[in-house]
Amino acid sequence: MNRKVELLVPASSLEVLKIAVIYGADAVYIGGEAFGLRAKAKNFTMEEMAEGIAFAHAHNVKVHVTANILAHNYDLEGVRQYLTELENMKPDRPDALIIADPAIFMIAGEVAPHIERHISTQANNTNYETYLFWHKLGADRVVAARELSLKEIKEIRAHIPEEMEIESFIHGAMCISYSGRCLLSNYFTGRDANKGACTHPCRWKYSVVEEKRPGEYLPVYENERGTFIFNSKDLCMIEHIPDMIDAGIDSFKIEGRMKTALYVATVARTYRKAFDDFFASREQYEANMDWYREQIRSCTYRQFTTGFFYGKPSEDAQIYDNNTYEQGYTYLGIVGKRNADGLYRMEQRNKFSVGEQIEIMKPNGENQIATVTAMRDEDGLPIESCPHSKQIFFVELDNGRTLDEYDILRRRENHPIALD
């Protein structure tokens, strides 16, 4: 079977979905207002979801919807109604549902028979018999547990039907808990990670001290069944795409359903080019490696690791001495349509000013340096800067530079930022 790989990109909002599509996604995964594991993300109303799916399909991009909570009795009636609405969505329904709970899986088969069912990483999918179990029940795809090595994934591929798909994370934040099953958020704040309300307490700064030995810091460690360490580095497999393809993975998933449009555009664009280069020739992929690395490091991240793909991670996969992100650029806004005066509509994401040097990020991989020569408010009056969050304004750049809708403006930074 000649396998066609998929680049699967997250989207927290309709705006970010459009950016993911324009910047190279083959498929986008999103959450509705209920039953997904990112309750703090903006998420999609049914109207926004319908618009987003129509936009994606117009660009030959698929949309997967998360319904991956671990359900309680009181969730089931709402789940049935929600999945029925997705099945009947107009003008297009979603292409797939991402599910962890067997009850939701069975309900989806009953009320949404035209939507594929994919099994979430939350379901602890660590062996080929589990894949076969889900395949016999009607699953089209299973997301590999993050704790699997490439060797184990390759063994799974050898034992499952050709038509069954394997999805695996290729980039993004790593949960400290086994397959994302963490109780810290619920314990500290009352917000349940398995109900979509994780407050990410693993990113807070901790010291581990034994009760009877105050002041003595103890080592933290992990074993083959799980991890007991906080603040993991971010997964990045941009240098190892050939190994992942060789393992038989069909869908390469970027984590980040709470990330900005700038982050999504940067990572999607970089992996899109890396995949395209690799399938053009191995030599082209290797020749452009420095560009991939530079682009990936230009967006906010917490140092990088290859996770479990090459065996159990060492202590180097964790961050012990700080709780900061590395930040390459500040997100300024997305370019909108051009008005009659030749100025481009913008919605502010961070303040910038007339006379400032910025960078234009284009979907084709090109980055251009430009100077802001003029700004006008919605009434056409000149302004020197855009100080207000989500302020609508119009911008002009030096030398009459032509922009395109969905170009992203950003500003280079050279400082770390503390985690929330």
Side-chain angles (χ1 to χ4, degrees):
M1 182 175 181
N2 187 18
R3 313 196 75 85
K4 183 181 184 302
V5 302
E6 172 187 270
L7 178 61
L8 180 57
V9 179
S12 61
S13 66
L14 182 58
E15 176 184 75
V16 178
L17 179 148
K18 291 180 179 180
I19 289 296
V21 168
I22 296 298
Y23 280 75
D26 294 308
V28 179
Y29 67 101
I30 65 176
E33 293 182 309
F35 310 118
L37 279 182
R38 284 294 180 270
K40 290 178 68 179
K42 295 176 186 176
N43 293 321
F44 287 68
T45 65
M46 297 302 281
E47 293 75 17
E48 289 170 335
M49 194 180 293
E51 181 180 346
I53 292 169
F55 181 89
H57 285 180
H59 291 82
N60 297 314
V61 172
K62 294 182 177 181
V63 177
H64 306 170
V65 175
T66 60
N68 56 344
I69 67 163
L70 302 181
H72 290 256
N73 292 332
Y74 52 76
D75 292 312
L76 297 181
E77 184 177 345
V79 164
R80 185 176 294 274
Q81 179 180 345
Y82 176 62
L83 298 184
T84 300
E85 289 180 29
L86 294 182
E87 169 74 10
N88 296 324
M89 181 169 281
K90 306 294 183 183
D92 296 310
R93 62 173 65 92
D95 299 280
L97 297 167
I98 304 172
I99 300 169
D101 191 300
I104 296 178
F105 181 86
M106 299 307 291
I107 292 170
E110 295 172 19
V111 304
H114 297 99
I115 304 177
E116 287 190 4
R117 289 175 290 173
H118 298 175
I119 305 305
S120 171
T121 189
Q122 297 291 126
N124 286 24
N125 309 301
T126 57
N127 62 77
Y128 57 80
E129 289 290 356
T130 296
Y131 276 66
L132 292 172
F133 168 83
W134 285 114
H135 180 259
K136 290 173 184 176
L137 290 177
D140 299 277
R141 176 186 297 183
V142 174
V143 186
R146 291 183 184 237
E147 295 78 18
L148 292 182
S149 67
L150 288 175
K151 178 177 180 291
E152 289 175 295
I153 293 174
K154 195 168 187 176
E155 289 171 351
I156 289 171
R157 167 52 62 203
H159 285 85
I160 64 174
E162 280 288 326
E163 69 272 13
M164 190 177 195
E165 296 178 347
I166 299 174
E167 180 177 306
S168 184
F169 285 94
I170 192 171
H171 191 94
M174 298 281 287
C175 181
I176 68 160
S177 186
Y178 196 83
S179 290
R181 295 188 171 190
C182 182
L183 295 176
L184 286 176
S185 180
N186 208 346
Y187 181 81
F188 284 126
T189 69
R191 297 182 183 178
D192 189 350
N194 292 318
K195 295 287 287 181
C198 185
T199 55
H200 302 105
C202 59
R203 306 305 183 190
W204 303 347
K205 198 166 187 177
Y206 295 92
S207 296
V208 181
V209 180
E210 200 275 327
E211 182 180 10
K212 295 181 180 178
R213 287 177 281 183
E216 182 179 343
Y217 293 92
L218 302 177
V220 288
Y221 63 92
E222 63 182 353
N223 63 26
E224 68 277 6
R225 292 297 178 189
T227 177
F228 302 90
I229 349 185
F230 299 163
N231 208 11
S232 171
K233 294 180 180 179
D234 283 356
L235 179 68
C236 178
M237 293 294 287
I238 194 71
E239 300 177 21
H240 306 285
I241 287 174
D243 290 347
M244 296 189 75
I245 291 173
D246 180 65
I249 296 166
D250 299 277
S251 180
F252 297 82
K253 188 173 194 171
I254 295 168
E255 185 277 336
R257 208 152 48 80
M258 296 175 70
K259 297 289 190 178
T260 67
L262 174 60
Y263 177 93
V264 168
T266 302
V267 179
R269 186 181 73 162
T270 305
Y271 277 92
R272 172 80 278 143
K273 180 168 174 54
F275 276 108
D276 291 348
D277 287 347
F278 174 77
F279 284 111
S281 76
R282 179 71 175 257
E283 293 73 22
Q284 185 171 322
Y285 166 74
E286 292 175 351
N288 286 327
M289 188 60 67
D290 286 344
W291 186 87
Y292 311 145
R293 293 192 192 105
E294 177 189 2
Q295 295 305 305
I296 287 294
R297 290 192 176 100
S298 74
C299 57
T300 303
Y301 68 98
R302 293 184 193 88
Q303 304 176 33
F304 289 133
T305 176
T306 56
F308 291 79
F309 283 125
Y310 295 101
K312 189 180 73 172
S314 70
E315 66 276 6
D316 294 334
Q318 311 301 322
I319 304 170
Y320 300 103
D321 58 352
N322 67 77
N323 66 332
T324 58
Y325 287 110
E326 303 293 332
Q327 182 179 17
Y329 285 89
T330 294
Y331 172 34
L332 302 178
I334 300 171
V335 174
K337 296 185 182 297
R338 195 174 186 179
N339 70 6
D341 296 325
L343 301 178
Y344 294 89
R345 186 183 187 277
M346 299 279 299
E347 185 177 286
Q348 186 253 44
R349 289 298 180 269
N350 281 286
K351 178 183 176 181
F352 63 104
S353 306
V354 173
E356 190 171 339
Q357 189 176 80
I358 61 171
E359 188 168 300
I360 307 162
M361 180 181 172
K362 291 184 170 289
N364 65 2
E366 187 178 355
N367 300 317
Q368 301 175 357
I369 303 298
T371 300
V372 180
T373 55
M375 286 182 173
R376 295 184 181 274
D377 64 17
E378 289 185 274
D379 298 320
L381 299 176
I383 55 176
E384 289 300 311
S385 66
C386 50
H388 307 299
S389 177
K390 296 192 175 182
Q391 179 177 352
I392 302 299
F393 64 99
F394 294 85
V395 65
E396 180 183 85
L397 304 180
D398 59 327
N399 301 321
R401 190 183 300 273
T402 300
L403 296 171
D404 296 300
E405 189 175 8
Y406 302 115
D407 284 353
I408 289 178
L409 302 188
R410 61 188 187 179
R411 177 175 60 233
R412 181 179 289 276
E413 308 289 355
N414 294 302
H415 58 82
I417 57 174
L419 302 184
D420 293 334

